[in-house]
Amino acid sequence: MRRKLVAGNWKMYGTLAGNADLLDAVRSGMEQARNVDCAVCVPFPYLPQAQQKLSGSGVKWGAQNVHQMDKGAYTGEVSAAMLRDFGCSYVIVGHSERRAYFGESSHLVAEKFLAAQRAGLIPILCVGETLEQRENGATENVVAGQLDALIDLGGVQALRDAVVAYEPVWAIGTGKTATSAQAQAVHTFIRQRIASHDGQTAAELCILYGGSVKANNAPELFAMPDIDGGLIGGASLVADDFLAICRAGART
Ligand code: PGA
């Protein structure tokens, strides 16, 4: 059986002082929860703080973006090896905010994904449709295109040590969660599409749901057979809420 993963995405929020309390609370709250993997993806400047606060605990940490090249004259960018230097396990690639506000194409996202793996990180590949695309019946096409860009560039084996997060854009930060049935349907589609290349990779792949996951809807979402945990934005900034979601992951 696949193990559940609950990953926080702090986005561009945080302060040294506030993070210290949040990280301490998550660390101590997770001491009891052994049946779930838990991680926080923090802004770059707070990686040393996450490393210092979480080292030796069961809680992993990661980043929210990475450059696609291993090193070079790319002023202002951060490489995957630098993230490993700060003990990161994960990095989010292709979040819908990066696709929408920073023009990241699926091809670029695939390059970032592979750069992360070259450095030993586990990429969390975000996919998902906008409301307009859903209403036009294009959800599966959009998600397929986002997955295929990676499979074309890296082969299906790239998904062996990776996480996919299905995040419908209309559900992110809006309070409108996909129903568990809507999410399950897309997760099944993702798994089947990957299974058409390689059954074992598909069966073992961790597929998270993200988009307004809260403590009250996490149990139902996580009970679905193809939902292997969550990528949590807003609720990951409040220790009690995030811990309640992690506990929901440990129970299902
Ligand atoms: P949300 O964000 O939980 O605040 O909807 C999820 C995400 O953007 O990963």
Side-chain angles (χ1 to χ4, degrees):
M1 211 182 112
R2 293 180 301 269
R3 204 176 147 83
K4 293 273 192 299
L5 167 66
V6 176
N9 171 12
W10 286 11
K11 309 198 179 190
M12 199 174 72
Y13 293 106
T15 61
L16 271 181
N19 301 345
D21 293 343
L22 179 53
L23 292 166
D24 284 342
V26 170
R27 181 183 177 127
S28 64
M30 285 307 292
E31 260 155 29
Q32 307 309 325
R34 292 273 167 246
N35 274 337
V36 61
D37 291 326
C38 170
V40 289
C41 295
V42 307
F44 292 137
Y46 298 131
L47 285 172
Q49 186 185 27
Q51 182 176 35
Q52 188 226 325
K53 289 280 184 193
L54 299 175
S55 285
S57 78
V59 182
K60 310 272 194 238
W61 59 96
Q64 303 164 17
N65 184 27
V66 66
H67 195 263
Q68 66 274 22
M69 303 301 284
D70 295 334
K71 61 175 148 180
Y74 302 104
T75 302
E77 293 296 324
V78 174
S79 74
M82 294 171 188
L83 300 180
R84 276 304 291 164
D85 251 355
F86 285 92
C88 286
S89 297
Y90 296 97
V91 62
I92 299 171
V93 297
H95 190 279
S96 66
E97 289 151 15
R98 305 256 3 133
R99 293 178 190 262
Y101 306 143
F102 302 94
E104 293 193 6
S105 67
S106 292
H107 179 80
L108 176 65
V109 171
E111 289 182 325
K112 291 182 175 215
F113 181 110
L114 296 173
Q117 281 186 330
R118 281 196 299 278
L121 295 164
I122 298 173
I124 302 177
L125 171 68
C126 297
V127 298
E129 81 289 359
T130 63
L131 185 58
E132 197 190 351
Q133 289 165 332
R134 173 162 284 262
E135 285 172 347
N136 291 336
T139 298
E140 291 190 351
N141 263 342
V142 169
V143 170
Q146 291 167 336
L147 285 174
D148 289 354
L150 173 70
I151 295 171
D152 289 348
L153 196 67
V156 72
Q157 67 274 11
L159 286 161
R160 260 181 223 150
D161 279 306
V163 174
V164 170
Y166 169 57
E167 296 208 305
V169 178
W170 47 272
I172 296 176
T174 57
K176 270 199 243 165
T177 328
T179 64
S180 51
Q182 280 174 322
Q184 166 64 21
V186 181
H187 283 229
T188 307
F189 171 76
I190 293 170
R191 212 178 290 287
Q192 283 171 352
R193 184 139 192 122
I194 295 165
S196 72
H197 296 271
D198 180 37
Q200 195 185 341
T201 301
E204 291 172 358
L205 181 68
C206 173
I207 308 179
L208 307 182
Y209 168 77
S212 298
V213 178
K214 307 288 174 207
N216 61 1
N217 57 29
E220 192 187 327
L221 286 160
F222 294 175
M224 302 309 283
D226 286 295
I227 299 184
D228 305 314
L231 182 56
I232 319 299
S236 72
L237 298 169
V238 180
D240 286 348
D241 294 352
F242 186 62
L243 287 168
I245 296 169
C246 291
R247 281 194 292 271
R251 277 195 303 273
T252 46

